[in-house]
Amino acid sequence: MTFRRGFKAEANRIALRIRDRMGLSPIDPLDPFEVCTRLDIRVIRLSEIDPHSAFLRGESSAFSAVTVPCGHEMAIVHNDSHHLYRQRSNLAHELAHCFLGHKCTPPLTEKGERARDGGIEGEANFLGGALLIPNEAALHIISNGLMMAAQRLYGVSQAMLTYRLRISGAHTIYRRRSGLPYRGSRI
C-alpha cells in the first residue's frame, strides 16, 4: 500500500497525541476501549444488537466493526465474538477512521455489495496499528528484549506485533544505535 507523503509520520504523531490526552507515555500500552470511553464514543457489542447474528458464529471473519453516527455522537459496533486482541485492533481501526476525519459511508452499495475504499481502509489499518504500538513503543520492545512479553503487554496479536516492529523500523534503529551490522551486510 502506498500512502501519501508524510502519512506514516502523521499517523505516529496522532498516536502520540492520543496517548498524551490519555495521560500515557509513548511506550505505555493503550486500551482502545478506554479511548472510546474518554472520547464519548459508544461501543456496542454486536451480540447486544443481534445475539443470533451469523457474524457471531461461522461467518465471524466477515464482520469486524463499523463506526456509525448516533445522533450527535459516534458509536462503534464491533464483533465481540473475536478474540480480545482482535477486538482491540478492530476498535483501534475504527478510532483511526475518526481521528483521520474519514466520513461515515453506508457499508453496502445500492446493489447490496460491500462498499470499500482501499485507500481509506489502508490508512485506518496503519493508524490503528500505530495507536496500539507507536514507533517509540516498538523501539522500546526491541531495545529491552520484550518480544516474548510484548503481545500480552500491548494486547495485540502476534501478527500485529510483528507488523508494527517491522514497519516502524525498530529493528533497524536498534541495530544502528547499538553499532550492530545491518541485516544482510557482509561484515
Side-chain angles (χ1 to χ4, degrees):
M1 162 127 255
T2 303
F3 296 108
R4 59 185 154 81
R5 186 176 171 85
F7 172 75
K8 291 180 180 178
E10 176 189 345
N12 201 65
R13 285 191 297 271
I14 292 170
L16 295 179
R17 275 198 307 268
I18 296 302
R19 279 184 154 60
D20 188 55
R21 285 182 67 179
M22 298 292 293
L24 301 172
S25 81
I27 63 170
D28 286 335
L30 177 106
D31 183 349
F33 289 93
E34 286 293 322
V35 175
C36 290
T37 299
R38 180 78 61 94
L39 299 179
D40 292 325
I41 298 173
R42 187 172 170 206
V43 177
I44 303 169
R45 296 184 316 247
L46 179 60
S47 65
E48 291 177 55
I49 298 171
D50 183 2
H52 304 293
S53 171
F55 296 132
L56 295 170
R57 291 174 182 75
E59 303 290 329
S60 69
S61 65
F63 175 75
S64 297
V66 65
T67 303
V68 293
C70 193
H72 296 291
E73 300 174 348
M74 298 298 283
I76 296 174
V77 178
H78 77 103
N79 191 336
D80 54 315
S81 72
H82 289 170
H83 186 278
L84 179 58
Y85 294 169
R86 173 83 183 272
Q87 291 179 49
R88 292 169 47 85
S89 180
N90 295 341
L91 282 185
H93 176 97
E94 294 306 315
L95 285 168
H97 281 301
C98 296
F99 299 148
L100 292 169
H102 295 162
K103 291 183 179 178
C104 291
T105 57
L108 300 176
T109 66
E110 292 177 4
K111 294 179 181 177
E113 298 168 350
R114 186 173 180 199
R116 187 174 195 285
D117 181 325
I120 285 174
E121 293 303 319
E123 287 183 355
N125 281 339
F126 190 88
L127 177 54
L131 288 168
L132 295 169
I133 303 177
N135 295 347
E136 291 75 4
L139 184 57
H140 172 73
I141 291 166
I142 297 295
S143 299
N144 292 286
L146 298 174
M147 278 78 75
M148 298 302 286
Q151 186 180 354
R152 180 183 46 77
L153 289 172
Y154 288 89
V156 297
S157 68
Q158 184 61 48
M160 174 63 81
L161 175 62
T162 300
Y163 168 73
R164 285 301 305 159
L165 294 179
R166 180 179 55 79
I167 204 75
S168 67
H171 290 287
T172 301
I173 294 167
Y174 174 72
R175 295 178 80 76
R176 186 177 55 228
R177 288 182 180 174
S178 301
L180 298 170
Y182 290 100
R183 189 179 279 174
S185 73
R186 295 182 183 183
I187 298 175

